[in-house]
Amino acid sequence: MQNTATDMVVATTITGVRESVANARAMGSTIGFVPTMGALHKGHLSLVERARKESSFTVMSIFVNPLQFAPTEDLAKYPRPVEDDERMARESGVDLLFRPAVEDMYPGKREVTVAAGEIASEWEGSSRPGHFDGVLTVVAKLFNIVQPDITVFGRKDLQQAALVAAMIHDLNMPVRMIIAPIVREGDGLALSSRNRYLSDDDRRSALSLHSALQEIRRAFARGVTSTVELEQIGRSVHDLTPNVRLDYLAVVSPTSLARNDDVSKTSAAIVAARVGSTRLIDNMTIGGDDED
Ligand code: AMP
């Protein structure tokens, strides 16, 4: 039986999670897992909805993972609305919410980390050195703690999704990964926990990420297939937008994240930009419809 909005278990310890998952398995449940850093929004909840369709016991983790933040980044100020998060998780039908403390996930000195390979060499990987080693290490730990049958990640973080898929494959992890579509505001802005940092002016300028991706998609539909030309079309949108500093914009393979000359309808346009002081990312399949 699925949870009906009241009986969510909240575990703060690894032992507590293992017990709760073992009980669910003993009742014949399959385990679905949605890892997050909290500050939940409808994007996160869409992953829960998908996990509930694909499994019978849904686990969500909320953990702001220090290992994936550089010293200069927003670890300390990353939003942690604990009560709202718990309410939203409960209302969305999460069965078990895992909210570990940093000391429980990283007690003392660590000898072993997961090292991301070539997929991490550019884009978020070069803008945020060490970020993906931190992501993969915590995801591997969470998989070992929860031992899910399936896991749902968002396409919003395309490079992260590609790396987690590669880790599952390369390390023979017994979990099936689902990559769910990007949830957007009505005007196209991709939902993100960091959107709450945006001022009204920033919020308007932030739309340029989505607009640039759409321009690329339109150009591809018109028959433009040169990577360079498509990228230039996207960049020109940003050049016209106040308050936006482009970090990268590229047309890449959605699995290797490599830029190459063979653009196809499954190629992804990816973008990262600083809007005011907030760094945002977005992406789109260039041959897709408006679904993502
Ligand atoms: P985060 O809490 O930002 O680490 O994100 C947790 C998960 O939610 C990741 O798999 C993200 O890709 C996913 N996610 C974040 N924003 C969205 C969105 N707008 N639509 C769909 N999934 C999202």
Side-chain angles (χ1 to χ4, degrees):
M1 263 278 282
Q2 287 273 0
N3 185 3
T4 47
T6 48
D7 51 351
M8 181 177 80
V9 172
V10 180
T12 54
T13 64
I14 293 168
T15 323
V17 172
R18 288 200 197 281
E19 268 171 23
S20 184
V21 170
N23 288 339
R25 279 213 186 278
M27 308 273 284
S29 294
T30 54
I31 313 298
F33 178 44
V34 178
T36 80
M37 298 204 302
L40 298 180
H41 51 65
K42 286 185 187 144
H44 296 117
L45 303 187
S46 74
L47 309 185
V48 172
E49 200 180 319
R50 186 66 188 272
R52 294 186 68 192
K53 284 204 182 102
E54 308 272 347
S55 62
S56 48
F57 186 83
T58 302
V59 184
M60 172 189 272
S61 61
I62 295 184
F63 181 60
V64 184
N65 174 34
L67 221 57
Q68 70 190 68
F69 286 77
T72 50
E73 291 181 343
D74 57 347
L75 173 63
K77 78 162 195 177
Y78 197 85
R80 292 165 173 87
V82 175
E83 280 161 25
D84 284 353
D85 279 353
E86 198 169 312
R87 180 181 48 75
M88 286 171 78
R90 178 175 282 112
E91 286 173 3
S92 68
V94 168
D95 296 292
L96 169 63
L97 178 63
F98 179 36
R99 253 191 6 219
V102 173
E103 309 78 63
D104 288 323
M105 290 297 281
Y106 300 118
K109 189 168 171 292
R110 198 169 12 85
E111 286 291 337
V112 177
T113 50
V114 181
E118 203 174 326
I119 296 172
S121 61
E122 289 186 273
W123 325 126
E124 291 306 286
S126 49
S127 295
R128 307 181 66 187
H131 171 69
F132 285 124
D133 291 2
V135 169
L136 294 183
T137 300
V138 81
V139 170
K141 284 168 70 73
L142 290 166
F143 283 175
N144 284 334
I145 293 165
V146 176
Q147 300 190 4
D149 299 289
I150 64 136
T151 187
V152 188
F153 280 73
R155 190 186 159 96
K156 162 78 170 25
D157 298 272
L158 184 65
Q159 195 172 10
Q160 167 177 284
L163 280 160
V164 171
M167 175 176 74
I168 289 171
H169 176 267
D170 291 355
L171 301 185
N172 305 93
M173 293 179 163
V175 57
R176 181 165 70 87
M177 180 183 187
I178 294 164
I179 301 176
I182 301 175
V183 177
R184 300 179 178 282
E185 302 280 8
D187 59 6
L189 180 69
L191 295 189
S192 163
S193 304
R194 289 186 169 98
N195 289 352
R196 63 184 73 193
Y197 300 150
L198 301 170
S199 68
D200 290 349
D201 281 349
D202 291 346
R203 175 69 183 75
R204 273 187 290 278
S205 299
L207 273 184
S208 68
L209 277 82
H210 180 248
S211 310
L213 298 175
Q214 274 197 315
E215 283 303 321
I216 294 173
R217 184 179 269 183
R218 284 192 199 109
F220 180 73
R222 283 197 306 274
V224 181
T225 54
S226 144
T227 304
V228 172
E229 214 178 311
L230 290 168
E231 290 170 348
Q232 271 162 0
I233 288 166
R235 279 194 201 112
S236 60
V237 174
H238 289 282
D239 292 344
L240 297 171
T241 313
N243 212 18
V244 173
R245 206 150 39 85
L246 195 61
D247 187 347
Y248 60 77
L249 184 151
V251 177
V252 299
S253 149
T255 47
S256 71
L257 274 292
R259 217 174 145 259
N260 55 39
D261 295 333
D262 304 327
V263 172
S264 80
K265 62 183 196 315
T266 60
S267 298
I270 58 172
V271 61
R274 208 166 274 283
V275 182
S277 57
T278 307
R279 190 168 179 285
L280 300 176
I281 62 172
D282 200 351
N283 72 86
M284 210 179 258
T285 307
I286 67 170
D289 49 30
D290 282 337
E291 291 279 295
D292 62 356

